[in-house]
Amino acid sequence: MACVLEAPLRMSVLSEVTASSRHYVDRLFDLDPQKVLQGVIDMKNAVIGNNKQKANLIVLGAVPRLLYLLQQETSSTELRTECAVVLGSLAMGTENNVKSLLDCHIIPALLQGLLSPDLKFIEACLRCLRTIFISPVTPEDLLYTDATVISHLMALLSRSRYTQEYICQIFSHCCKGPDHQTILFNHGAVQNIAHLLVSTSYKVRMQALKCFSVLAFENPQVSMTLVNVSVDGELLPQIFVKMLQRDKPIEMQLTSAKCLTSMCRAGAIRTDDPCIVLKTLPCLVRMCSKDRLLEERVEGAETLAYLIETDMELQRMASITDHLIVMLADYFKYPSSVSAITDIKRLDHDLKHAHELRQAAFKLYASLGANDEDIRKKIIETENMMDRIVNGLSESSIKVRLAAVRCLHSLSRSVQQLRTSFQDHAVWKPLMKVLQNAPNEILVVASSTLCNLLLEFSPSKEPILESGAIELLCSLTQSENLALRVNGIWALMNMAFQAEQKIKSDILRGLSTEQLFQLLSDSDVNVLMKTLGLLRNLLSTRPHIDHIMSTHGKQIMQAVTLILEGEHNIEVKEQTLCILANIADGTTAKELIMTNDDILQKIKYYMSHSNAKLQLAAMFCISNLIWNEEEGSQERQDKLRDMGVVDILHKLSQSSDPNLCDKAKTALQQYLA
C-alpha cells in the first residue's frame, strides 16, 4: 500500500507513529476467529474520530486483510459486519483514505456483500458504500459497471429504513447527467422511491427528495412522469409543495423547490401554476435573505436563477418580491472586513463561500434582467453594480468570470444601458481582455455580449474597433465550436452595418476569400445566414458596393451562384437575392450581373417562383438594373426585355399580392418613361 501521510517522514519517526498501531493489524492474522473478531472491534473503537490512526492502519496494510475477512465464506456474519463497519470508518477520514480503499477494489467486495441474506451485514456494506460514493474522489461510473447492481439495490429498498436512506443517498450522489438518469429511471427509480417521501423517518424522506431533485434536473422524461405519480392518493407535486412550507427544515424546503423548478423548466408544470408562482418562487426568494446560511443563499439564488431564466412573468414577479434586487447586493459583501471578525473559522467559512455567493448573485441578476428594461435599470442602479461586474470579469475563479459575463450579456440587451452605464464604465475593455484568453464556455457568452456592444447605436463600437476586434472576430469564425463561429460572424455583421469603407475592407481582408467561402458552405444555417447578412451589410452604399465588387466581385458572384443553385431554405435564398439587389444598385458593380447570363436567368427564374418573398427579392434586382435615371439603363432594359422579363412583369402586375403588384407596376413604368 502507498503511504498516505502527506509529508515524507524520517524512518525512526514513522516507526514510532506506526508501532502503536501495528498490534491492531497483527491481531487480524490470529488463528483464533474469536480473537480476530475482538481485534476488529478494538480497531473500530480506535479509529473513531482519529484520522491519524486511520492513516497508520492503512499504511500498515489493514485494508486488504479486512477485505479478505469480509469476503471469506468461513468468516462469521458478525466478523464480516464488523469489518464493513471499520472500512466505513476508514472511508470517513481523508480523501487519500478513500483512494487507498478504491485501490484495493473495495467497491466490488462490498457489492458482493449485498447478496448476503443477513440484513445487518447488508446495512453495514451499504453504509460503507454510501461513505465511499459521496467522496469526490470516487468515480460515479463504478456504480453502473455491472447492470445487475442497480436492480439489486432497487430490490433492497424495501428491507429497512437504513437500506432506504443509504441507497437513496448513493443514487443521488451517483446520478450525474442524462445517461445515469436514464439507467435509474429504466430500473423503476420513480416507482420504487416515490412512497419513501411519506416515510416516518425524516432521513429517508430527505434522501428520497434529493434523489428526485437529481433525477428530474433537465430531464423532461422524468419530470413528465413525476407529475402524474401519486402516493397515498396525493400527487407528487402536492407532496413537494407541502415540503416547501416554512415549518419544514430549510434543507427540505430547498430540495423540494429544486424538484418543482426542474419539473417546471421541463414543461411538466406550467409557469403560471400556483405551486410555482405562490409557493416555489417565494420560497426561493426567502432562501436569498440575509438570515439564511451562506450555502443556503447560494443554492436558493442559483435555483431561482434557473427557474425564472426563460420566463418574463416569473422574472417580473421575482424582481418585486422581498426587495430581491437590493437583497442580492449583500452577496458581494463577503468576507466581511477582517476587523469585524474575531472568529478565524468564520473568516475561513466566509472566504470559502465568497466566490460561490458572487457567482450565484451574477447568475440571478442575469436571469432577472434577461427581458425587462425596467428590471435591468434597477439592477444597474444597485450599489456599485457595474464595478462589481467589471471586477467579476477578471476574477481568478472561472465560474465567477462566466457568471459575470452572463450578467453583462443580459444587461447588454438594453439600448439605454449600452449608451450610458456601459460607456461610463468602459465595459468593453475588460470584455476584450476576457476574449483574448478564456475557455470556450466563457468565450461564447463574451462574444455574444460583444455582438451587442457592436450595434450601430453603441458608443463602445469605435474603441472596440480600435483595439483589434476585427482580427479577433475573424479568428472566431474559424473555430470548431459552432456557437463561436456564429458569434464571430454575427459581431462582424454588426460591425459592418453602416460602417466606413476602410472598416469594410479590413473585414474582408481579415476574413479572406477562402474563409468567406468556407462560411458560406457551413452546414449550419445560422452561420450561413449571418455570413449573408455580413455580405449584405458590406455591400451597402454605392461607392462601397463598387469598391468591394471591383476587388472581390468575381468571388462574391461565385458565392451567390453557389447558394442559388444549392439546396437551401427560402430565407437563405431570399437573403442571397437581396445581396444581388444591392450589387445591382452599384454604379459599376451592376455590370457584373449584366454580363453574367447565368445569374440573369436565375433572377428571371425567381421572378416566377411560387414563393412571394423570393419573387419580391428578384424584383428588387430587376428594378435596380433598369432604373431610368442611371447611365446605360436603355441597354440593360433592352437586354432584359429580350430575355422575357417584361412579359413576367406584366403577369406580376396582375398579382393578388399587393406588394408584388406594386413593384411590377413601378418596374414597368421605367420602360414607359
Side-chain angles (χ1 to χ4, degrees):
M1 291 301 300
C3 174
V4 297
L5 295 173
E6 288 176 8
L9 296 169
R10 289 194 311 276
M11 234 12 245
S12 59
V13 182
L14 185 58
S15 303
E16 255 176 66
V17 169
T18 55
S20 61
S21 310
R22 187 173 297 282
H23 73 282
Y24 287 114
V25 180
D26 290 343
R27 289 166 71 189
L28 300 181
F29 292 88
D30 201 292
L31 296 173
D32 182 347
Q34 206 50 44
K35 285 182 180 174
V36 174
L37 174 61
Q38 193 54 51
V40 174
I41 293 169
D42 290 346
M43 186 183 282
K44 175 180 73 176
N45 295 331
V47 296
I48 291 171
N50 189 336
N51 276 350
K52 196 173 177 183
Q53 186 70 280
K54 289 174 187 178
N56 290 344
L57 291 169
I58 290 171
V59 170
L60 290 166
V63 177
R65 183 62 182 170
L66 287 167
L67 283 171
Y68 172 79
L69 294 169
L70 180 133
Q71 293 175 91
Q72 279 300 97
E73 291 296 327
T74 53
S75 297
S76 68
T77 304
E78 189 182 359
L79 174 58
R80 296 170 80 192
T81 305
E82 291 294 349
C83 286
V85 172
V86 175
L87 289 164
S89 190
L90 295 177
M92 287 177 115
T94 64
E95 287 181 4
N96 275 339
N97 290 9
V98 177
K99 284 179 188 168
S100 299
L101 293 170
L102 290 172
D103 289 343
C104 292
H105 308 292
I106 188 171
I107 289 179
L110 291 169
L111 290 174
Q112 190 64 30
L114 299 181
L115 299 173
S116 162
D118 187 87
L119 182 57
K120 285 279 175 249
F121 178 51
I122 289 171
E123 288 173 350
C125 288
L126 283 172
R127 193 181 304 114
C128 185
L129 279 166
R130 179 271 316 263
T131 306
I132 288 165
F133 274 120
I134 64 175
S135 167
V137 300
T138 307
E140 297 85 16
D141 285 331
L142 290 175
L143 185 68
Y144 304 95
T145 45
D146 181 346
T148 61
V149 168
I150 304 295
S151 306
H152 189 59
L153 288 172
M154 291 292 176
L156 289 174
L157 274 169
S158 59
R159 294 293 298 273
S160 73
R161 74 179 182 85
Y162 294 112
T163 64
Q164 291 166 353
E165 179 193 335
Y166 304 145
I167 291 169
C168 285
Q169 203 170 353
I170 290 167
F171 285 161
S172 61
H173 274 276
C174 294
C175 185
K176 307 279 192 224
D179 291 347
H180 295 165
Q181 287 171 329
T182 302
I183 293 169
L184 292 173
F185 180 79
N186 290 343
H187 279 86
V190 173
Q191 295 75 11
N192 283 301
I193 296 170
H195 70 281
L196 303 182
L197 290 169
V198 294
S199 165
T200 52
S201 159
Y202 170 75
K203 284 183 177 178
V204 172
R205 289 202 303 280
M206 198 56 238
Q207 292 307 331
L209 190 58
K210 283 182 178 175
C211 245
F212 283 130
S213 88
V214 294
L215 278 170
F217 182 65
E218 292 184 344
N219 193 311
Q221 184 187 27
V222 174
S223 295
M224 292 293 185
T225 305
L226 288 182
V227 84
N228 295 312
V229 171
S230 64
V231 178
D232 295 347
E234 202 167 21
L235 287 168
L236 284 196
Q238 294 169 314
I239 294 172
F240 293 148
V241 167
K242 278 186 177 175
M243 291 173 154
L244 278 179
Q245 289 166 358
R246 288 172 187 255
D247 62 338
K248 296 289 186 287
I250 296 298
E251 177 188 34
M252 183 171 272
Q253 290 184 49
L254 253 175
T255 313
S256 47
K258 280 171 128 178
C259 291
L260 289 161
T261 294
S262 291
M263 291 164 77
C264 178
R265 283 300 305 267
I269 300 175
R270 288 167 53 106
T271 53
D272 59 357
D273 190 297
C275 80
I276 297 298
V277 177
L278 303 177
K279 300 289 182 184
T280 310
L281 187 143
C283 168
L284 290 170
V285 173
R286 221 164 47 234
M287 295 302 147
C288 299
S289 70
K290 210 170 180 176
D291 56 354
R292 297 266 51 88
L293 296 173
L294 299 189
E295 39 271 71
E296 291 163 1
R297 296 173 79 184
V298 168
E299 207 170 343
E302 294 208 333
T303 308
L304 182 56
Y306 180 53
L307 174 66
I308 67 172
E309 189 178 13
T310 56
D311 191 272
M312 276 181 74
E313 194 51 34
L314 289 179
Q315 289 157 10
R316 195 190 60 75
M317 291 170 93
S319 73
I320 56 171
T321 305
D322 293 352
H323 308 288
L324 177 64
I325 291 173
V326 177
M327 198 196 295
L328 282 177
D330 190 65
Y331 278 47
F332 296 95
K333 295 175 183 173
Y334 292 89
S336 323
S337 60
V338 178
S339 59
I341 294 181
T342 50
D343 181 357
I344 252 336
K345 275 190 177 172
R346 156 99 188 280
L347 174 61
D348 189 47
H349 177 264
D350 283 9
L351 279 167
K352 190 176 144 200
H353 289 288
H355 283 137
E356 293 173 1
L357 282 161
R358 289 197 291 279
Q359 179 191 341
F362 282 139
K363 276 186 184 174
L364 186 43
Y365 276 137
S367 287
L368 284 164
N371 293 291
D372 190 285
E373 192 64 34
D374 290 337
I375 297 175
R376 288 185 199 123
K377 190 169 182 291
K378 281 182 194 167
I379 292 170
I380 283 173
E381 286 170 358
T382 306
E383 53 175 317
N384 307 324
M385 191 61 207
M386 290 308 287
D387 290 333
R388 281 172 176 154
I389 294 173
V390 168
N391 292 337
L393 294 176
S394 55
E395 283 223 18
S396 57
S397 160
I398 285 183
K399 288 181 175 178
V400 178
R401 285 211 306 278
L402 178 59
V405 174
R406 279 206 177 120
C407 185
L408 190 66
H409 180 236
S410 181
L411 299 175
S412 74
R413 295 182 181 131
S414 161
V415 176
Q416 179 63 30
Q417 301 310 330
L418 282 174
R419 285 182 170 150
T420 54
S421 306
F422 275 53
Q423 187 60 10
D424 298 343
H425 290 81
V427 164
W428 64 271
K429 284 184 184 173
L431 186 67
M432 286 296 287
K433 201 173 170 188
V434 167
L435 281 160
Q436 303 300 331
N437 183 22
N440 275 2
E441 59 177 340
I442 291 181
L443 275 181
V444 169
V445 190
S447 54
S448 287
T449 312
L450 195 65
C451 289
N452 292 343
L453 292 181
L454 286 167
L455 291 165
E456 87 278 6
F457 50 74
S458 166
S460 306
K461 184 172 181 177
E462 206 61 44
I464 290 171
L465 277 166
E466 289 164 11
S467 69
I470 291 176
E471 189 184 343
L472 173 80
L473 295 169
C474 288
S475 70
L476 286 185
T477 67
Q478 296 175 31
S479 170
E480 287 182 14
N481 182 296
L482 172 60
L484 287 179
R485 286 205 305 283
V486 171
N487 288 348
I489 202 73
W490 194 341
L492 288 169
M493 182 184 87
N494 288 351
M495 195 183 272
F497 184 74
Q498 294 181 353
E500 298 166 12
Q501 188 172 301
K502 183 190 178 305
I503 292 168
K504 292 181 176 180
S505 298
D506 287 349
I507 290 172
L508 273 170
R509 201 175 303 113
L511 262 186
S512 82
T513 314
E514 190 186 339
Q515 179 58 10
L516 195 61
F517 271 98
Q518 194 75 39
L519 292 164
L520 289 170
S521 54
D522 199 287
S523 57
D524 184 80
V525 75
N526 268 330
V527 174
L528 180 53
M529 282 296 282
K530 293 289 178 281
T531 309
L532 291 170
L534 167 64
L535 271 177
R536 197 172 165 183
N537 286 349
L538 290 170
L539 295 165
S540 61
T541 73
R542 279 184 186 171
H544 295 182
I545 294 167
D546 290 333
H547 175 75
I548 288 170
M549 292 308 287
S550 70
T551 54
H552 293 80
K554 188 183 170 191
Q555 296 93 324
I556 288 171
M557 294 305 283
Q558 264 183 302
V560 166
T561 309
L562 193 77
I563 289 167
L564 290 177
E565 286 177 352
E567 292 290 319
H568 295 291
N569 65 30
I570 299 297
E571 285 71 25
V572 168
K573 297 262 172 109
E574 182 191 14
Q575 188 82 299
T576 309
L577 287 167
C578 288
I579 289 168
L580 272 180
N582 283 13
I583 295 168
D585 193 37
T587 306
T588 56
K590 53 168 56 86
E591 285 310 307
L592 285 160
I593 296 177
M594 290 308 300
T595 54
N596 189 326
D597 288 346
D598 185 27
I599 285 285
L600 288 173
Q601 286 297 337
K602 284 180 169 55
I603 295 170
K604 179 186 166 187
Y605 164 76
Y606 283 109
M607 285 175 76
S608 305
H609 199 275
S610 56
N611 185 282
K613 281 184 178 179
L614 296 181
Q615 286 179 286
L616 204 55
M619 296 271 281
F620 272 109
C621 297
I622 295 296
S623 294
N624 286 345
L625 290 171
I626 63 174
W627 204 252
N628 250 327
E629 295 158 19
E630 290 165 10
E631 196 181 328
S633 61
Q634 191 59 55
E635 289 88 339
R636 289 193 293 276
Q637 285 182 8
D638 292 345
K639 180 167 183 177
L640 291 167
R641 180 190 279 113
D642 293 345
M643 283 178 62
V645 164
V646 175
D647 296 338
I648 299 172
L649 287 173
H650 278 297
K651 273 184 196 168
L652 290 172
S653 67
Q654 309 299 314
S655 169
S656 57
D657 185 308
N659 287 332
L660 278 175
C661 180
D662 290 349
K663 200 72 188 163
K665 285 176 180 175
T666 307
L668 284 168
Q669 281 169 3
Q670 297 304 307
Y671 275 94
L672 300 170

